[in-house]
Amino acid sequence: MKDGYIRVASASIDTLIGNVKHNANEIKKVLKETREKKAQVVVFPELVLSGYTLEDLFLQNRLLNECLVQLEEIMKDTKGHQQIVVIGLPFHYQNNLYNVSAVLYDGSILGIVPKYHIPNYNEYYEGRRFTPCFEDNIEIELFGQIVLFGRKVVFACQNLPSFTLGVEICEDLWLPNAPSNELALNGATVICNTSASNELTAKKDYRRNLVSMQSAKLVSGYVYSNAGSGESTTDVVFSGHHLICENGTIVSESTGFDAEVIYGDLDVEKLVSERRKMTTYQSHHDYDYVYFDMDLIDIETNHYYDPHPFVPSNPKLRELRCKEVFEIQTRGLMQRLKATHIDKVVIGISGGLDSTLALLVCVMAFDKLGYDKKNIYAITMPCFGTTSRTKNNALGLMEELGVTSQTVNIADVVRMQFKNIDQDENVHDVTYENVQARERTEILMNKANQIGGLVIGTGDLSEVALGWSTYNGDHMSMYAVNVSVPKTLVRYLVDYVSSLYQGQVLETILQDVLDTPVSPELLPQEDDKIVQKTEDIVGPYELHDFFIYHMVRFGDEPCKLYKKTKLAFKDKYDKETIKKWLRLFYWRFFSQQFKRSCIPDGPKVGSVALSPRGDWRMPSDANVQIWLDEVEKI
């Protein structure tokens, strides 16, 4: 539960229908196993204590009384254990019989939740025996305790406010007005479903989609436990198909048919963060809250985090993502050109990944608009750090793509600038680098004025986040097509476009661009080799892209972000390396906001973007100290 993680379990037993004592003993065996594995929530199937397929035996006093006896025994078994246990059973109150889930915790009953939708069609005949849940909660006495009885209840952990739990039962999920909808709006981050859903051809697929979609719609965790082994097969078969989902993602799923326990770790803090950003996710305040205390234990979570959250690992999905992103970039530029009635662009080409991608976007936009590609003015501006490899790749790209190519050596004018400000050319400091970057931008802007065109920016999302650009240099343009594309995705986008030119000279050039180290080439080259490698200075871009995704999207604290990074890169980076670059990330992210506050327009392509006009607004003088302090505690 530290860092907002909870471990949940969905379990079934080898049911003996009608043998309540046997079923209770099997439940207690499962609970012992789940405690050893540190599960903090365990959900059993609908009517698990009695069996679901008892038909009119549900009306027998002997059965109902024994269910109460065994429920009390299980409740006593939970004493001393900080574990939420959700169990289905038939429950008689006053004049009616209810299909309920009992929520147990540490030797007590937190609440009794009745089923809301009672199916009475096809193979289901529950309406013959069970009564639907009443509207408002009531209090009843059970085992010497005052217990809340009703469906309008959320169970809340006082130690971890983001861990709140709601319960619905089987059919409740399948209807438009599912109780979980209101439970989530009243704060429940985890929904438990005790279910008895029989198996039919293709029903498993439908059920899987239903549960995962409900968890996505509610931005919640969803623990679904289904009846299985031992239920009557007179007319139907139950498979014990369990599911654990988190915000649309299947965390764990049972194989089915045999009694089984599945586990999953849910990140409830992430769920709360997602909801908090959605101003359309309105809170309701008309349900009762039942509170419990649970120690914040540290679990070795099995939660999977993709080390490259912006890049799908599946090759087919990755290709589709690249195609979609490239199309968004292209359409964004096309609209800007049409809206401004401009058919000329200017772009600086270095022979690196970012400028290559931006040039490819320009070419595609011009092709789709039917504009003359000679109106794409691609300018390479070699200086002290330019190598023949990058220069030749830049020239080759321009030639193969059929754009207007121009080479402007900026060395002499840069030296003039050095002279004007008394800068020693042998001192390779930030001024030495930035004079070159600003001179290049000045040439691009002046050329755009000359021809009546737009300067197309090439910087990517990772550079925007880290401020890895020269203010009023490459930081500035008239439309920035890469501005929300992370560095880890840029590489795959160039590779995707390369595949469109299979067998052509252009493919060879693009592949060599992909193999070239990332560098601004602002320091003098040695023996025609790149000496300035960006990742040696700011750290691996794959780490920074991971930081960007989880910090911006979920608002993770440094300790949690560190823990996620360790899980994602456990076989690649040691703890000190992660901590080193995490510290630098926070420092650069805060100190470089002034650049983000005035970045040019550009298309948003994914769920994380840093435009000051839409996705990210923060003061340029915000203080980073409390974030750095927490990094130091790691």
Side-chain angles (χ1 to χ4, degrees), residues 308 310-313 318-319 321-323 353 357 485-499 514:
H308 304 115
F310 295 108
V311 183
S313 56
R318 186 167 61 238
E319 182 180 353
R321 174 74 56 82
C322 288
K323 181 179 180 181
L353 278 171
L357 176 59
V485 182
K487 185 75 79 176
T488 47
L489 185 58
V490 170
R491 180 173 299 278
Y492 287 100
L493 282 165
V494 172
D495 190 47
Y496 160 73
V497 179
S498 171
S499 69
L514 287 166

Side-chain angles (χ1 to χ4, degrees), residues 558-576:
C559 61
K560 184 165 188 177
L561 183 47
Y562 171 75
K563 186 170 187 174
K564 284 183 174 182
T565 310
K566 280 199 306 176
L567 289 168
F569 293 96
K570 59 185 177 182
D571 299 323
K572 190 164 186 179
Y573 298 108
D574 60 34
K575 297 177 181 179
E576 286 307 312

Side-chain angles (χ1 to χ4, degrees), residues 7 16 19-20 39 48 100 133 154 169 172 210 246 257 266 323 342-343 375 445 454 474 486 490 492 507 522-523 570:
R7 179 161 295 164
L16 286 183
N19 192 331
V20 181
V48 64
V100 306
C133 177
V154 173
I169 302 174
D172 287 345
L210 180 67
E246 180 187 277
F257 292 103
L266 304 179
K323 181 179 180 181
I342 291 175
D343 63 354
N375 284 340
M445 290 290 181
L454 297 181
D474 55 318
V490 170
Y492 287 100
E507 181 191 23
L522 293 173
L523 295 181
K570 59 185 177 182

Side-chain angles (χ1 to χ4, degrees), residues 519-581:
S519 171
E521 290 193 322
L522 293 173
L523 295 181
Q525 48 86 4
E526 295 177 1
D527 299 323
D528 203 26
K529 303 291 185 185
I530 294 173
V531 297
Q532 187 183 24
K533 297 179 180 178
T534 301
E535 291 184 292
D536 291 344
I537 303 168
V538 299
Y541 272 118
E542 63 178 355
L543 280 181
H544 286 302
D545 282 358
F546 188 87
F547 298 156
I548 293 165
Y549 182 82
H550 290 276
M551 181 261 199
V552 172
R553 181 163 180 185
F554 304 120
D556 286 341
E557 295 191 51
C559 61
K560 184 165 188 177
L561 183 47
Y562 171 75
K563 186 170 187 174
K564 284 183 174 182
T565 310
K566 280 199 306 176
L567 289 168
F569 293 96
K570 59 185 177 182
D571 299 323
K572 190 164 186 179
Y573 298 108
D574 60 34
K575 297 177 181 179
E576 286 307 312
T577 300
I578 294 172
K579 182 177 176 179
K580 170 187 174 181
W581 297 122

Side-chain angles (χ1 to χ4, degrees), residues 105-336:
Y105 179 74
D106 194 11
S108 66
I109 296 183
L110 296 182
I112 301 288
V113 179
K115 192 171 183 175
Y116 187 54
H117 298 292
I118 303 297
N120 216 50
Y121 59 90
N122 294 343
E123 62 265 40
Y124 299 106
Y125 207 10
E126 288 186 37
R128 178 181 172 93
R129 295 163 286 272
F130 294 107
T131 299
C133 177
F134 37 86
E135 190 61 26
D136 296 317
N137 298 334
I138 60 174
E139 288 185 340
I140 62 172
E141 184 178 355
L142 188 61
F143 310 140
Q145 304 173 26
I146 300 299
V147 175
L148 200 63
F149 182 27
R151 66 181 178 87
K152 294 182 176 180
V153 57
V154 173
F155 304 93
C157 179
Q158 296 191 98
N159 311 61
L160 183 64
S162 52
F163 173 30
T164 47
L165 184 144
V167 177
E168 65 183 358
I169 302 174
C170 197
E171 183 83 1
D172 287 345
L173 167 64
W174 299 68
L175 275 296
N177 58 335
S180 52
N181 297 342
E182 281 296 319
L183 287 165
L185 292 174
N186 278 277
T189 54
V190 178
I191 305 297
C192 299
N193 188 312
T194 59
S195 184
S197 175
N198 62 299
E199 210 55 60
L200 302 170
T201 303
K203 190 175 181 180
K204 187 174 184 179
D205 295 333
Y206 186 89
R207 187 187 299 116
R208 183 188 299 112
N209 290 335
L210 180 67
V211 174
S212 62
M213 182 56 67
Q214 186 72 350
S215 75
K217 186 174 74 171
L218 301 183
V219 192
S220 73
Y222 203 104
V223 188
Y224 182 91
S225 180
N226 196 9
S229 176
E231 291 289 353
S232 172
T233 59
T234 300
D235 290 302
V236 294
V237 172
F238 295 86
S239 70
H241 181 209
H242 307 323
L243 290 157
I244 298 172
C245 296
E246 180 187 277
N247 198 11
T249 299
I250 296 175
V251 176
S252 186
E253 182 176 9
S254 66
T255 54
F257 292 103
D258 295 319
E260 190 175 356
V261 183
I262 62 171
Y263 297 88
D265 295 341
L266 304 179
D267 187 346
V268 290
E269 279 188 354
K270 183 175 77 172
L271 296 170
V272 169
S273 173
E274 285 281 79
R275 291 179 179 183
R276 186 166 54 230
K277 286 195 305 183
M278 300 168 61
T279 55
T280 50
Y281 202 115
Q282 294 295 314
S283 294
H284 293 180
H285 306 285
D286 48 2
Y287 276 30
D288 290 316
Y289 265 59
V290 174
Y291 294 94
F292 59 93
D293 290 316
M294 187 177 279
D295 292 339
L296 301 181
I297 63 172
D298 196 1
I299 58 176
E300 288 295 321
T301 178
N302 59 6
H303 206 295
Y304 172 74
Y305 291 105
D306 191 333
H308 304 115
F310 295 108
V311 183
S313 56
N314 181 291
K316 289 185 178 179
L317 293 178
R318 186 167 61 238
E319 182 180 353
L320 289 172
R321 174 74 56 82
C322 288
K323 181 179 180 181
E324 184 178 28
V325 169
F326 192 68
E327 184 73 14
I328 292 171
Q329 290 178 278
T330 302
R331 294 290 173 174
L333 179 56
M334 289 168 62
Q335 174 59 24
R336 179 52 56 99

